[in-house]
Amino acid sequence: MGVTLSDVALKAGVSRAAVSRTFTAGASVSAKMRARVEAAAQELGYSPNLLARSLTTRKTQLVGLVSNNFHNPVFLQIFDLFTKGLQERGLRPLLVNLSDETDPARSVQMLRQYSVEGVIVATSHLPDGFARAFRDGGVAVVHAFGRPTGQTDVVGIDNVAAGQMAAQTLIARGYRHLGFMGGPEQASTTQDRLAGFTAAARALGGVVSHSFAGAYSFEAGRVEMTRLLAHPRAEAYFCADDVLSIGALSAAQAAGLGVPDDLGLIGLNDMHMAAWANINLTTIHQPFDAIVSGAIDLMQDRFADPNRAAQTRLFPCHIVDRGTLRAQS
Amino acid sequence: MGVTLSDVALKAGVSRAAVSRTFTAGASVSAKMRARVEAAAQELGYSPNLLARSLTTRKTQLVGLVSNNFHNPVFLQIFDLFTKGLQERGLRPLLVNLSDETDPARSVQMLRQYSVEGVIVATSHLPDGFARAFRDGGVAVVHAFGRPTGQTDVVGIDNVAAGQMAAQTLIARGYRHLGFMGGPEQASTTQDRLAGFTAAARALGGVVSHSFAGAYSFEAGRVEMTRLLAHPRAEAYFCADDVLSIGALSAAQAAGLGVPDDLGLIGLNDMHMAAWANINLTTIHQPFDAIVSGAIDLMQDRFADPNRAAQTRLFPCHIVDRGTLRAQS
DNA sequence: TATCCACGAGAAAGCCTTTGCCGACCTGCG
DNA sequence: CGCAGGTCGGCAAAGGCTTTCTCGTGGATA
């Protein structure tokens, strides 16, 4: 802090332009000059001010990473992947927690004030007008884990297909009475997974019921499953999220039910925790690394061509067989 | 993007200074002028460029949030608290994932290039020279969850005391043969908790053994406890972290041991998950909200007075009694 | 009505960097 | 030895904003 380009120029006895050029990749500087400047810079402990640089280059390398899922452990994995992926490409994530924000427009405003080049929204639900506000501001937005709209770049999975996959799996394992436990009813992920699940189950001769937990959380899953168990229940449930499944699993165990013998459970995500020995959840794997790097790719594509049409990139899921569903019959 | 102060000034037919003043809190502008400028700004969709502003004000409101704990679920809680706390105070976190970074000096360099005003390091282990590099650059550094050194602002708990508390609790519950399961041996948290635990246990007539898991993770805890159970074992273990405890718990269950009857377990952190019904871990509560807001406070204090002496702020912990320790005897 | 004061507006310099343009120097060749 | 061509460094402007200084205006007071 404090040591500027001019200081280095002065010390090295050269012009400011010369110093600038030695610090910009691909500029033409003689080896002698470069050595001289670098020596001076070294001695002074200089490093260029990226914020000032951005003024003329119009490149900040800043990216907004926006989410409101700070309670579902899977998002720690997701943040890990995003931060690593962005760092590898020289981008810097400005983390925005939307949880308590009543007015998302304020976050949009703030991100624009910091001249972010792109924004990655990692939520199933994107607040209205969010994407448009950024597009109008010339900021690349990618919606990770969202529902395709054709208006915005979206990267994720086909949630309808995932629901179908769950239903097919349950039927194939010999379950007939199937239940779907969603997260919040408004969440597009819940809606789409339910739609796919119900359609496929019916098509295969299954009987389907469904209900919703209040949140994508352990407690919501536990409470909802406890409620369900008080009534005539399904033979197997598809919970729309792993953490929900773990709550449901806990409720089943508390009720003295054997899983998978008395009750089958299948989740979705395949978060690390699903593999924990005391959980051992059969679940649908969502390819997080592909989604994350796909999202970053799409964002960078848009840096290159701000006017290209919106793209949707969906990756295939697969079943990870563990201990909460009985074996193929 | 693209609409600048000058554009607004032109549109409103006033000087650029007038526009600037309208957007600077506490500047003197007549009501009439303000209205006129705001109308023009509104119409053009102008909002000030904070990066350009920072050039003259030397205030970026940018803060580095640095961590390498993207695998312990408790850190999602911590990130949640930090992002909210920073946002509330108008600060913006630049998230840095140190996990894969071979050379932390690069991160220091990068954060300085972005002119962050402060850095919060949320790790038990702060890479050498990290703090000094920032201090030399005039950047406020606070080490959250660290070990007090007197050189750097540190906020956290007294890990030695926490170890003592664990020992006292186990002895009070009638356990005599005690075990300590740490995380990585080099981690200061592990070292301090072990020291306090061992000293207090011996002082109270307990017999203590200890070992270390390779990481603060479920799997490391499970593996280590599995290993321990193959030998004559202690009656109760203090695991230096909740996620480690959960791994240990899983190993105990897998071995057919009843907890807390055959084996007592106490963790540390009191992360949300510890309260999950199927885990129900007795643990030492670490007051995260106090620590997080204390860290931000300390950082802001240092903004105000860069030369004040380093402070250490430690918060008290308490036991949260759940199901993995037998009741007071 | 004249004087003074305070407040607000404008002009210009400054923050740190990049970049287009031009001129100087050097190299190599005829 | 002279010239053409190329390389490289310096100058100055630009980029978006703030801030100080100065000056003018309006209102209040005597």
Side-chain angles (χ1 to χ4, degrees):
Chain A
M1 202 78 130
V3 35
T4 79
L5 195 70
S6 306
D7 299 335
V8 178
L10 202 67
K11 173 124 199 163
V14 300
S15 76
R16 295 185 348 239
V19 179
S20 170
R21 279 192 271 260
T22 67
F23 282 97
T24 36
S28 79
V29 208
S30 67
K32 208 180 62 192
M33 167 69 59
R34 151 157 282 132
R36 201 157 128 206
V37 169
E38 279 177 348
Q42 183 81 30
E43 194 165 340
L44 264 40
Y46 169 76
S47 65
N49 181 330
L50 263 40
L51 268 27
R53 170 181 290 177
S54 79
L55 222 46
T56 56
T57 60
R58 306 189 149 286
K59 298 228 160 305
T60 58
Q61 313 277 75
L62 251 25
V63 168
L65 180 55
V66 179
S67 183
N68 56 10
N69 292 277
F70 282 77
H71 293 286
N72 188 341
V74 73
F75 271 82
L76 189 60
Q77 291 178 232
I78 292 171
F79 292 152
D80 187 29
L81 291 170
F82 267 121
T83 49
K84 279 185 190 160
L86 291 169
Q87 283 175 192
E88 272 166 20
R89 309 185 203 202
L91 298 171
R92 310 293 161 198
L94 218 44
L95 186 58
V96 178
N97 186 340
L98 233 47
S99 304
D100 279 356
E101 189 60 79
T102 49
D103 181 11
R106 283 198 14 199
S107 306
V108 173
Q109 161 103 336
M110 174 246 128
L111 285 168
R112 287 186 46 194
Q113 293 195 324
Y114 277 96
S115 311
V116 297
E117 295 178 38
V119 172
I120 289 179
V121 185
T123 326
S124 64
H125 181 62
L126 188 61
D128 282 338
F130 214 89
R132 194 163 18 80
F134 281 118
R135 231 190 346 267
D136 294 351
V139 177
V141 194
V142 176
H143 188 184
F145 309 105
R147 174 193 264 171
T149 61
Q151 306 297 306
T152 312
D153 289 340
V154 172
V155 182
I157 59 169
D158 181 337
N159 284 296
V160 176
Q164 294 169 344
M165 180 180 287
Q168 287 155 0
T169 306
L170 293 181
I171 295 282
R173 302 299 173 91
Y175 299 101
R176 268 278 127 343
H177 282 82
L178 311 184
F180 171 86
M181 182 198 291
E185 192 168 354
Q186 323 83 283
S188 70
T189 42
T190 286
Q191 294 170 2
D192 294 347
R193 290 165 194 178
L194 171 58
F197 184 74
T198 307
R202 296 227 172 101
L204 296 168
V207 179
V208 188
S209 61
H210 68 264
S211 71
F212 305 99
Y216 279 126
S217 73
F218 173 90
E219 195 51 21
R222 193 190 64 78
V223 167
E224 179 58 21
M225 182 53 77
T226 304
R227 199 184 65 77
L228 290 171
L229 294 181
H231 302 280
R233 56 179 166 78
E235 301 164 51
Y237 287 89
F238 168 41
C239 301
D241 179 282
D242 280 357
V243 76
L244 223 45
S245 313
I246 298 172
L249 183 60
S250 167
Q253 288 164 344
L257 291 174
V259 175
D261 297 326
D262 301 327
L263 185 75
L265 279 178
I266 182 169
L268 192 156
N269 266 351
D270 191 25
M271 58 191 283
H272 290 329
M273 208 175 292
W276 286 8
N278 56 347
I279 291 176
N280 199 29
L281 179 72
T282 296
T283 188
I284 296 179
H285 178 83
Q286 185 165 189
F288 292 116
D289 5 15
I291 293 172
V292 165
S293 62
I296 304 180
D297 287 346
L298 234 47
M299 185 177 68
Q300 291 192 304
D301 285 359
R302 187 165 291 282
F303 292 168
D305 176 10
N307 296 317
R308 70 152 168 67
Q311 275 191 33
T312 296
R313 211 172 276 186
L314 302 182
F315 293 91
C317 295
H318 64 263
I319 300 282
V320 177
D321 218 334
R322 297 205 184 87
T324 57
L325 236 47
R326 61 184 181 226
Q328 194 96 26
S329 56
Chain B
M1 203 78 128
V3 33
T4 79
L5 196 70
S6 307
D7 299 336
V8 178
L10 202 67
K11 173 122 198 166
V14 301
S15 77
R16 304 197 331 255
V19 180
S20 169
R21 279 192 277 260
T22 312
F23 283 95
T24 350
S28 72
V29 208
S30 65
K32 208 180 60 190
M33 166 73 52
R34 149 157 283 131
R36 200 154 131 210
V37 170
E38 279 178 348
Q42 183 81 30
E43 194 165 340
L44 263 40
Y46 169 77
S47 65
N49 180 330
L50 263 39
L51 268 26
R53 171 182 288 178
S54 79
L55 226 44
T56 56
T57 58
R58 308 190 146 289
K59 299 228 161 303
T60 57
Q61 312 278 74
L62 249 26
V63 168
L65 181 54
V66 179
S67 184
N68 56 11
N69 293 278
F70 282 76
H71 293 286
N72 189 340
V74 73
F75 271 82
L76 189 60
Q77 292 179 231
I78 292 171
F79 292 152
D80 186 29
L81 291 170
F82 267 121
T83 48
K84 279 185 190 159
L86 291 169
Q87 283 174 193
E88 272 167 18
R89 311 186 201 200
L91 298 170
R92 309 295 161 196
L94 217 46
L95 187 58
V96 178
N97 185 341
L98 233 47
S99 303
D100 279 356
E101 189 60 80
T102 49
D103 181 12
R106 284 201 11 204
S107 306
V108 172
Q109 162 103 338
M110 174 245 129
L111 286 169
R112 288 186 44 192
Q113 292 194 325
Y114 277 96
S115 312
V116 297
E117 295 178 38
V119 172
I120 289 179
V121 185
T123 327
S124 62
H125 181 62
L126 188 61
D128 281 338
F130 214 90
R132 193 164 17 81
F134 281 118
R135 225 187 353 263
D136 293 352
V139 177
V141 193
V142 177
H143 188 183
F145 308 105
R147 174 193 264 171
T149 62
Q151 306 297 305
T152 313
D153 289 339
V154 172
V155 183
I157 59 168
D158 182 336
N159 284 296
V160 176
Q164 293 170 345
M165 180 181 286
Q168 287 155 2
T169 306
L170 293 181
I171 296 283
R173 302 298 173 92
Y175 300 101
R176 266 283 111 1
H177 283 83
L178 312 185
F180 171 86
M181 182 198 291
E185 192 168 353
Q186 323 83 279
S188 71
T189 42
T190 286
Q191 294 170 2
D192 294 347
R193 289 165 195 178
L194 171 59
F197 184 73
T198 308
R202 296 227 171 101
L204 295 169
V207 179
V208 188
S209 61
H210 68 265
S211 71
F212 304 99
Y216 279 126
S217 73
F218 174 90
E219 193 53 19
R222 191 189 65 78
V223 167
E224 179 58 20
M225 182 53 74
T226 304
R227 200 184 65 77
L228 289 171
L229 294 181
H231 303 282
R233 57 178 165 77
E235 301 164 53
Y237 287 89
F238 168 40
C239 301
D241 179 282
D242 280 357
V243 76
L244 224 45
S245 313
I246 298 172
L249 182 60
S250 166
Q253 289 163 344
L257 291 175
V259 175
D261 296 326
D262 302 327
L263 186 75
L265 280 178
I266 181 168
L268 192 155
N269 266 352
D270 192 25
M271 58 192 283
H272 291 329
M273 209 176 291
W276 285 8
N278 56 348
I279 290 176
N280 199 29
L281 180 71
T282 296
T283 188
I284 296 179
H285 178 83
Q286 187 166 188
F288 293 116
D289 2 16
I291 293 173
V292 165
S293 62
I296 304 179
D297 286 347
L298 234 46
M299 185 178 67
Q300 291 192 305
D301 285 359
R302 188 165 289 283
F303 291 168
D305 175 10
N307 296 317
R308 70 151 167 70
Q311 274 191 36
T312 297
R313 210 171 278 186
L314 302 182
F315 294 90
C317 295
H318 64 264
I319 301 281
V320 177
D321 218 334
R322 296 204 184 87
T324 58
L325 237 45
R326 60 183 181 228
Q328 195 95 27
S329 58

